Amino acid sequence: MEKYVKLVDRTLLLTGEWTVEHFNEIRKELENFKNFSFEYVDASRIEKLDFYGAYLIDRYLSRYSIHNLPEKYKKLIELVKTSPQVHPPKRNFIDNLIDAIYRKILDFYEFFVFTGLVFYESVRHIRSLELRNLVKELDEAGPKAIGIITVLTFLIGVVIAYQSSAQLAAFGANIFIVDLVSISITRELSPLIVGIVMAGRSASSYTAEVGLMKVSEEIDLMRTLGISPYASIVLPKLLSSVLLFPFLITYGDVIGIAGGMLVSQFTLGISPEQFLRRLGEVLYPDHFWAGVIKGPIFGGTIALIGTYEGFKVEKKAESIGFSVTRSVVKAIFSIIFLDALFSVLYRWLNI
Amino acid sequence: MAEYLIIVENLVSRYGEKIVHKGLNLKIKKGELYAIVGESGSGKTTLLRELLLLRPIDGGRIIFNGKDITKLSPGELEELKKRIGVMFQFGTMFSSLSVGENLVYVIRKRYKIDKHTAVEMAKIKLTLVGLKPHVFYMYPHELSGGMRKKASLAMAIATDPDVVFLDEPTSGLDPISAEEFDKLVRTLVDSTGMTIVQITHDLASLLFTDRVAVLSEGKVVYEGEPKGMVNTQNPWLRKLVSTLRFRRLILGK
Ligand SMILES: Nc1ncnc2c1ncn2[C@@H]1O[C@H](COP(=O)(O)OP(=O)(O)OP(=O)(O)O)[C@@H](O)[C@H]1O
Ligand SMILES: [Mg+2]
């Protein structure tokens, strides 16, 4: 039964509450009367009208003059008449593709500009570097990361030794386990593990921290106060990473080799004394330095990528999330890519 | 009783040791334009957050439509919230949606309205608050402060709620927009019968309001027509009344 629209003697009678709650019901009733003919629309029985009701009157009954509409509601009908025609900007596939490629290239370029600026401004504003900030960053990236690095490098040492001990035993080359474990850990695995762990830990937190400061306009505030955000935010993070990584890698070396030593004793019967003696003979300082030297490069890259992505955060809720993800993915990729570069370089230099 | 939409009785609220409201009383009638004024830090925003149930109260009662809001069932609460529109002090909107999508989202979350109508209605509301149509496709962070306020008013009234709360709607608007804003709020109250409660520091806005509550020292020290503010003893209010702005604007002297 109709509740809102009634036809009485060629008069369309509008009744009840013409509000957003009843929008669909009213519209259904109006649809029913679309093909009817009537001469007169009487709105005197409307109890309540809002923009949604007014919208329906305008869209369905604008051909008729509405009688007895209370004065205050006339304004509403006037206000809903203006539905401006605007259309979203259209884009095609090719445009989007070109745009995406262009943005990738631009991103790469901007990263190098950013790196240049960080170095330039850090040198100029080196005095504004606060020891307090540096200590805070060192604490955050160092001691708090030790736990996970211990566990991972130890396990890697164990796994390497365990996996290779069977093969070596088959050739009677038991003692070579020391060469294998120590060289692979110091040159490759410890730097890689430290790099990847820190890419996940530091890059993400740098991005989130800088990103929030960007969104809350703290970066702009710094700039207007003549404080260089690069020198005061990026530099402590960069320095702390560059300084810490060699130590973390060295630490990883020790723990990893210890893991290998432990396994060697059980699977191949090599006593710790034998292991350490052999270690002194085969692990040249070159091997150790070849690994440690990667540290500052990896650390610097992670700090720069993390903060760079932070500076690119936009004022949208999902933006920080995207940026953090991007920064971790980029950082891990960069670590592995740089590690490969080092291998090529060492090969070439015969180290 | 039914004449009053909101009754606040002996409201007490505190942040830790700090007491913000010390037994605050006010009554807001259905279909009126009600203003809340008071010093910065006097607890206006806190009051608003309590009315919206975003913050628990530490004493007293808040009665909405004859019912104590702390005693509503989840279903009743949902119904109540559907009929409330809010514009926060800094014009908060969903940052990941365009302005138009923000409005459409609110409309379609609350009512079963088809997409086409929701889009049309969003455009109508944006035009109503004085924004250009292309703002529909812009994102909140791309708007100026004033545009943002207008857009969030459009969002607050997107579903024609029964009551709309506005926290400092005209601050940061140019004088012409501010006056248009005041007139629009008046028109909304007059033509749809909605109740609008606005927190304001803008004395000129009081010219358009029906009644005003003045907050000072954790209490409402005056409630009534703006003109009646002259006849009070409260020190803060006396200071306010003696300002040049007040005398020029409200008393026309
Ligand atoms: N989250 C909080 N924690 C502690 N104290 C708070 C908090 N929020 C507000 N306050 C305090 O409560 C008091 C009232 O704050 P409120 O934001 O309600 O003021 P207001 O009247 O809206 O001021 P304004 O006109 O500046 O917007 C202030 O003294 C403030 O310091
Ligand atoms: Mg406030």
Side-chain angles (χ1 to χ4, degrees):
Chain A
M1 215 37 253
E2 281 85 20
K3 256 174 82 184
Y4 303 97
V5 188
K6 294 191 178 96
L7 193 58
V8 187
D9 302 336
R10 303 183 69 75
T11 293
L12 201 67
L13 192 61
L14 314 182
T15 67
E17 297 193 343
W18 280 51
T19 57
V20 58
E21 276 115 331
H22 311 121
F23 184 84
N24 290 322
E25 299 148 65
I26 300 172
R27 185 162 62 179
K28 204 183 268 167
E29 292 185 19
L30 282 167
E31 286 286 344
N32 291 342
F33 285 102
K34 226 175 172 176
N35 301 321
F36 282 55
S37 68
F38 40 84
E39 286 157 3
Y40 194 83
V41 178
D42 182 357
S44 60
R45 303 259 288 274
I46 285 191
E47 289 156 27
K48 197 174 168 196
L49 186 74
D50 67 7
F51 281 90
Y52 290 79
Y55 174 82
L56 287 175
I57 292 182
D58 182 62
R59 298 300 132 108
Y60 282 88
L61 304 171
S62 59
R63 282 174 294 138
Y64 307 92
S65 62
I66 316 290
H67 294 269
N68 301 328
L69 187 69
E71 201 54 42
K72 58 175 182 178
Y73 292 148
K74 287 196 176 139
K75 181 100 192 175
L76 280 183
I77 304 217
E78 240 170 74
L79 290 173
V80 294
K81 279 203 161 56
T82 51
S83 175
Q85 289 303 309
V86 272
H87 298 288
K90 281 208 173 62
R91 306 189 57 87
N92 60 34
F93 174 73
I94 299 293
D95 277 351
N96 284 336
L97 190 69
I98 293 174
D99 220 46
I101 294 171
Y102 173 70
R103 256 186 284 141
K104 278 270 178 297
I105 296 170
L106 190 70
D107 187 50
F108 211 65
Y109 167 75
E110 282 179 346
F111 178 69
F112 284 102
V113 172
F114 170 80
T115 306
L117 275 175
V118 167
F119 282 107
Y120 174 71
E121 294 213 356
S122 297
V123 172
R124 279 183 34 147
H125 295 262
I126 191 75
R127 281 158 182 281
S128 66
L129 178 69
E130 287 181 44
L131 194 64
R132 196 165 44 96
N133 284 346
L134 187 61
V135 170
K136 194 196 103 205
E137 295 296 344
L138 283 170
D139 177 49
E140 198 56 48
K144 293 186 183 158
I146 283 291
I148 182 78
I149 288 175
T150 309
V151 172
L152 287 183
T153 48
F154 183 79
L155 284 178
I156 288 289
V158 166
V159 168
I160 299 268
Y162 200 76
Q163 283 296 320
S164 33
S165 57
Q167 273 94 330
L168 290 171
F171 292 107
N174 291 12
I175 196 66
F176 285 105
I177 189 85
V178 182
D179 309 37
L180 204 145
V181 167
S182 66
I183 294 176
S184 59
I185 294 248
T186 50
R187 287 187 70 118
E188 286 295 329
L189 293 169
S190 174
L192 211 52
I193 296 286
V194 169
I196 290 173
V197 166
M198 296 309 276
R201 264 188 110 253
S202 304
S204 57
S205 80
Y206 292 167
T207 306
E209 183 184 331
V210 177
L212 193 67
M213 293 181 79
K214 169 83 187 303
V215 170
S216 56
E217 291 173 354
E218 284 178 52
I219 306 266
D220 294 342
L221 180 63
M222 285 186 158
R223 288 215 168 95
T224 53
L225 294 173
I227 302 168
S228 161
Y230 297 128
S232 59
I233 306 173
V234 182
L235 186 60
K237 300 191 190 321
L238 184 63
L239 273 184
S240 72
S241 295
V242 168
L243 290 177
L244 271 174
F245 266 58
F247 291 103
L248 292 176
I249 290 173
T250 308
Y251 175 76
D253 291 347
V254 174
I255 302 293
I257 291 173
M261 189 162 78
L262 190 77
V263 172
S264 308
Q265 181 164 19
F266 288 117
T267 57
L268 300 171
I270 298 174
S271 72
E273 294 80 44
Q274 282 175 300
F275 192 99
L276 289 175
R277 197 169 334 113
R278 176 76 186 173
L279 187 68
E281 289 162 15
V282 297
L283 187 65
Y284 303 130
D286 277 2
H287 292 312
F288 169 73
W289 288 115
V292 165
I293 208 82
K294 294 176 181 174
I297 308 283
F298 285 4
T301 306
I302 287 171
L304 286 171
I305 289 176
T307 48
Y308 168 74
E309 287 296 331
F311 277 95
K312 290 195 67 175
V313 167
E314 289 173 43
K315 283 191 183 174
K316 293 186 181 182
E318 75 267 29
S319 189
I320 287 198
F322 286 156
S323 293
V324 169
T325 308
R326 231 184 357 247
S327 114
V328 172
V329 170
K330 274 188 188 174
I332 291 179
F333 172 81
S334 305
I335 295 304
I336 293 174
F337 182 76
L338 285 173
D339 193 60
L341 276 189
F342 270 110
S343 299
V344 174
L345 184 75
Y346 288 163
R347 191 72 216 211
W348 196 53
L349 295 175
N350 255 325
I351 300 172
Chain B
M1 271 297 277
E3 182 196 358
Y4 289 110
L5 182 69
I6 300 168
I7 301 175
V8 176
E9 282 176 359
N10 288 320
L11 178 70
V12 178
S13 24
R14 50 172 87 87
Y15 290 104
E17 294 287 286
K18 186 181 165 68
I19 300 184
V20 181
H21 299 133
K22 310 169 183 164
L24 182 147
N25 291 289
L26 56 82
K27 288 178 175 178
I28 301 171
K29 287 181 194 158
K30 272 203 180 105
E32 77 173 338
L33 179 49
Y34 190 92
I36 298 175
V37 301
E39 221 173 336
S40 286
S42 59
K44 303 180 295 297
T45 301
T46 306
L47 174 63
L48 174 64
R49 292 179 62 80
E50 286 162 346
L51 290 173
L52 295 169
L53 287 162
L54 294 174
R55 211 191 106 72
I57 58 178
D58 299 301
R61 292 200 303 168
I62 297 175
I63 294 165
F64 228 105
N65 252 333
K67 285 185 184 147
D68 188 333
I69 52 169
T70 54
K71 300 202 176 97
L72 293 179
S73 69
E76 285 174 315
L77 210 59
E78 210 169 283
E79 266 315 299
L80 179 70
K81 293 207 163 176
K82 235 177 171 176
R83 307 299 309 162
I84 294 179
V86 195
M87 169 184 159
F88 287 108
Q89 194 162 358
F90 303 105
T92 312
M93 294 206 255
F94 298 113
S95 57
S96 50
L97 301 178
S98 72
V99 172
E101 284 164 351
N102 262 284
L103 270 79
V104 170
Y105 179 75
V106 178
I107 295 169
R108 301 199 4 121
K109 270 284 154 189
R110 286 185 164 179
Y111 296 102
K112 281 201 176 66
I113 301 278
D114 60 292
K115 183 92 185 268
H116 174 77
T117 309
V119 168
E120 289 259 289
M121 199 49 81
K123 287 176 179 169
I124 289 171
K125 293 287 160 76
L126 288 172
T127 315
L128 185 69
V129 298
L131 287 170
K132 302 224 164 60
H134 69 266
V135 172
F136 189 93
Y137 297 104
M138 291 173 78
Y139 281 84
H141 70 275
E142 298 169 336
L143 305 181
S144 76
M147 288 161 83
R148 209 185 156 98
K149 289 235 151 168
K150 291 181 183 177
S152 63
L153 174 72
M155 189 163 156
I157 60 169
T159 56
D160 289 331
D162 291 335
V163 51
V164 177
F165 296 100
L166 309 172
D167 196 352
E168 297 189 25
T170 56
S171 70
L173 288 184
D174 66 87
I176 299 173
S177 298
E179 183 145 329
E180 278 167 4
F181 211 106
D182 286 330
K183 285 183 178 156
L184 172 64
V185 167
R186 188 71 246 177
T187 307
L188 287 171
V189 170
D190 291 340
S191 50
T192 64
M194 63 172 66
T195 309
I196 297 189
V197 181
Q198 60 175 350
I199 293 172
T200 184
H201 289 300
D202 186 351
L203 291 175
S205 297
L206 295 186
L207 294 172
F208 296 85
T209 53
D210 296 313
R211 292 191 317 133
V212 54
V214 182
L215 258 63
S216 177
E217 311 266 310
K219 294 195 170 181
V220 172
V221 295
Y222 175 79
E223 189 182 30
E225 283 182 26
K227 280 204 159 84
M229 284 158 77
V230 277
N231 309 321
T232 53
Q233 297 307 313
N234 178 271
W236 188 77
L237 201 47
R238 291 194 66 86
K239 247 190 222 160
L240 176 72
V241 168
S242 66
T243 57
L244 212 53
R245 290 152 193 272
F246 188 90
R247 282 186 291 155
R248 287 265 164 77
L249 279 165
I250 309 292
L251 306 176
K253 289 185 208 163

